[in-house]
Amino acid sequence: MFIDEAVITLKAGDGGNGCISFRKEKFVPKGGPDGGDGGNGGSVTLIASNDLQTLLDFKYNRIFKAEDGEHGLGSNMHGKNGRELKIKVPVGTQACNPKTGALICDLASPGASFVLIRGGRGGRGNTRFTSSVRHAPRYCELGEEGAELEVKLVLKLIADIGLVGFPNAGKSTILSKISKATPKIANYPFTTLAPNLGVVKIDYNKIMVVADIPGIIEGAHSGAGLGNKFLKHIERTRAIVYVIDMTGFERPDPAEDLKTLQKELKAYSKKLAGLPFIIAANKMDIPDSKEHYEKFSKKIKRLKAFKDAKIIKISGLAGLNLDKLIRQMYDLKIDSEAHAAQAALAEDGESALLIDSNEAIAEGGLGLTYDNLNKKTSQRKKAFSVKVNKLSQNEYQIVSEQFEADVKRINFKADDSLYYFKQMLKKYMVDKALRKAGAQNGDTVYIRDFAFDYQDE
Ligand SMILES: Nc1nc2c(ncn2[C@@H]2O[C@H](COP(=O)(O)OP(=O)(O)OP(=O)(O)O)[C@@H](O)[C@H]2O)c(=O)[nH]1
Ligand SMILES: [Mg+2]
């Protein structure tokens, strides 16, 4: 079975906790603090590799977790950072949001990689909390939890050239003759259910990758036959060979077939229909084909979309003109590379956006979820703002993404935690916001599942 979609869950490593410790030295009654920081949790990265051809592995193995950071120790020993988890995916894999389908990254070349989630920050040890007034802080931070993310992986094959045609046109036969691929060939429609790739060698030192794509029929773009499930694979080819059956046995009008195929591609994507192409008039070993070919070539010369099209008469089965076909396909590949470079230029805006989202993680910090990371800078800044909701006469609720995340890192078991908590209230100006909202001493304030008494100081 060919698996080309999978939904997986990723979890970045948790940060290790900071440590509370004091130096123990002979003759020094009160050694200073020496608690080390916790290590950062490992990130989760996707990396495109030629070792994999399908997403089959992800069908059985769906949960991936990076290593946690180790806790800090005394003597200023920092915990080790958790190892980054690099998940290999086949070249041509895209990751997207499973709910909205929004693209997160597109790993189109070998070695391309993308950091999907960063590990949680390690908590700071007590050494880092000394100040002019606190020489011996009995406080440390907890490590931040690593973010979790569900992504949908979609494999879109990348080939130099795609063989596109109606079922039974002879696409798989051609691929089997021009490459070492061994696709199933049979005289019934939809023999090919998943695209096959073959490497075609020319002149010993040149190669091209050719995809034999399942048959397309009228209405494919809206789901007929194998529908758009496979049209999306053609989307990744750089050029097209339309394979048209000339016998007239199954389909009486080859020119009509060509028009329909192009119409289907166009309905699916304009870009696809605009790719460079040639036409292979197939099954020319059958005597009837000659007559159909004459009519076909005359008809399509009158069509604007095909009047300058290159047509080559072949027989996949009998091996007629396949050498010529390969040469023309190679020329087509060269043409298409220029075409692809131009298209990439036009699409530059899109790729810049992807780079930006990766930078956002680096700069914005840590444990960012995908939703977070997709926010624009202005929105990210908003995450630092604090909102106070009045729940009842004596109850208030604080809503602030960043503040909530920081409160989670407070180690309330530590003796001095209250002091640092108050510092944090000041830093985020939560005290001010509460005062403004009318909070009185003794009122209850909630932050998620945590509550404390308000004291105006
Ligand atoms: N006479 C003749 N028959 C051919 C030729 N090429 C393919 N066939 C026959 O046509 C039938 C279909 O061939 P396939 O190569 O499986 O066709 P396909 O386009 O891959 O079909 P799907 O996978 O169903 O889309 C088989 O019975 C082949 O033997 C040819 O050049 N001449
Ligand atoms: Mg086939």
Side-chain angles (χ1 to χ4, degrees):
M1 189 179 23
F2 181 83
I3 301 290
D4 61 356
E5 277 183 7
V7 175
I8 57 171
T9 303
L10 313 170
K11 168 99 176 56
D14 296 339
N17 297 338
C19 166
I20 302 176
S21 164
F22 296 93
R23 270 196 301 279
K24 290 184 196 73
E25 287 171 45
K26 265 186 188 170
F27 315 116
V28 183
K30 275 190 177 169
D34 71 352
D37 299 346
N40 296 329
S43 323
V44 181
T45 301
L46 293 183
I47 178 159
S49 159
N50 282 329
D51 298 350
L52 292 176
Q53 306 301 325
T54 68
L55 293 173
L56 195 68
D57 289 1
F58 300 99
K59 191 171 186 279
Y60 304 104
N61 199 0
R62 289 170 189 266
I63 298 172
F64 297 85
K65 187 178 180 316
E67 213 174 60
D68 294 338
E70 286 178 6
H71 299 319
L73 294 170
S75 309
N76 279 322
M77 281 201 282
H78 294 327
K80 230 169 82 186
N81 290 341
R83 233 177 316 158
E84 179 185 12
L85 178 67
K86 287 188 176 164
I87 303 175
K88 275 192 198 172
V89 291
V91 176
T93 300
Q94 296 183 339
C96 56
N97 180 321
K99 292 193 186 90
T100 64
L103 183 68
I104 301 173
C105 63
D106 183 0
L107 305 175
S109 54
S113 68
F114 189 87
V115 182
L116 280 174
I117 34 173
R118 295 261 171 201
R121 252 182 309 180
R124 288 174 292 175
N126 67 336
T127 319
R128 310 266 240 114
F129 290 93
T130 47
S131 67
S132 54
V133 287
R134 296 205 155 228
H135 300 296
R138 307 193 70 79
Y139 180 68
C140 67
E141 269 174 347
L142 297 178
E144 187 179 38
E145 268 178 38
E148 210 176 294
L149 179 68
E150 208 176 52
V151 289
K152 184 169 170 187
L153 301 179
V154 181
L155 175 60
K156 294 190 177 182
L157 291 176
I158 299 175
D160 295 311
I161 291 170
L163 301 175
V164 173
F166 273 83
N168 278 345
K171 303 173 294 295
S172 299
T173 306
I174 295 173
L175 187 75
S176 73
K177 289 285 166 88
I178 63 175
S179 74
K180 283 191 177 149
T182 52
K184 191 170 162 193
I185 294 165
N187 194 15
Y188 56 84
F190 302 117
T191 307
T192 305
L193 292 173
N196 299 296
L197 284 187
V199 176
V200 179
K201 292 203 172 102
I202 311 120
D203 300 341
Y204 302 102
N205 58 353
K206 296 179 201 144
I207 58 164
M208 62 186 165
V209 180
V210 176
D212 157 34
I213 292 158
I216 284 168
I217 58 170
E218 185 146 27
H221 74 275
S222 53
L226 293 172
N228 49 18
K229 195 166 183 313
F230 293 115
L231 272 168
K232 77 170 176 239
H233 291 292
I234 317 175
E235 209 181 346
R236 307 281 272 191
T237 64
R238 293 213 185 119
I240 290 172
V241 174
Y242 287 111
V243 180
I244 313 286
D245 181 344
M246 288 294 146
T247 60
F249 295 163
E250 287 178 50
R251 312 185 52 83
D253 189 343
E256 215 38 57
D257 286 0
L258 179 65
K259 267 163 67 183
T260 306
L261 287 170
Q262 212 209 20
K263 204 176 82 198
E264 286 305 319
L265 297 200
K266 206 170 187 171
Y268 180 73
S269 132
K270 277 226 165 65
K271 186 176 137 201
L272 210 57
L275 290 179
F277 67 90
I278 56 174
I279 300 163
N282 196 25
K283 306 197 183 180
M284 292 305 291
D285 54 303
I286 302 285
D288 288 15
S289 296
K290 227 172 161 192
E291 195 190 320
H292 284 116
Y293 174 79
E294 297 307 326
K295 279 190 204 151
F296 170 77
S297 66
K298 265 189 208 138
K299 260 192 191 170
I300 67 161
K301 286 222 160 63
R302 288 201 294 266
L303 299 170
K304 203 173 142 215
F306 302 108
K307 72 177 183 350
D308 299 321
K310 259 194 194 136
I311 315 173
I312 168 162
K313 288 188 274 183
I314 62 160
S315 164
L317 192 67
L320 182 77
N321 271 345
L322 291 184
D323 278 1
K324 211 165 146 193
L325 176 70
I326 291 174
R327 298 230 158 257
Q328 297 219 359
M329 280 166 98
Y330 192 74
D331 289 348
L332 188 63
K333 174 189 153 148
I334 303 296
D335 275 2
S336 70
E337 277 164 356
H339 182 88
Q342 258 178 1
L345 263 180
E347 262 181 30
D348 224 19
E350 199 180 314
S351 51
L353 194 84
L354 288 175
I355 294 162
D356 178 49
S357 51
N358 223 350
E359 275 172 359
I361 324 182
E363 124 209 352
L366 303 146
L368 277 176
T369 60
Y370 169 63
D371 285 344
N372 237 346
L373 137 195
N374 247 6
K375 284 176 188 159
K376 295 212 177 80
T377 317
S378 59
Q379 283 168 305
R380 264 189 270 135
K381 277 194 184 134
K382 260 195 209 154
F384 288 86
S385 70
V386 172
K387 201 175 143 216
V388 175
N389 296 326
K390 188 165 183 168
L391 302 177
S392 75
Q393 185 60 29
N394 310 102
E395 289 178 312
Y396 295 84
Q397 181 197 29
I398 298 169
V399 185
S400 159
E401 217 170 291
Q402 192 61 31
F403 180 63
E404 285 169 35
D406 271 3
V407 168
K408 258 179 136 176
R409 305 182 68 199
I410 294 179
N411 180 0
F412 282 105
K413 283 188 191 136
D415 295 351
D416 292 345
S417 55
L418 229 48
Y419 170 81
Y420 290 97
F421 177 54
K422 282 181 186 161
Q423 298 278 90
M424 206 179 281
L425 291 179
K426 279 202 187 111
K427 177 178 151 198
Y428 284 98
M429 294 194 284
V430 172
D431 48 350
K432 220 172 171 182
L434 282 166
R435 206 175 302 139
K436 217 168 140 193
Q440 302 289 326
N441 281 351
D443 286 353
T444 308
V445 181
Y446 296 96
I447 311 166
R448 286 211 173 163
D449 49 358
F450 172 76
F452 67 95
D453 284 352
Y454 174 71
Q455 289 296 336
D456 196 356
E457 283 174 3

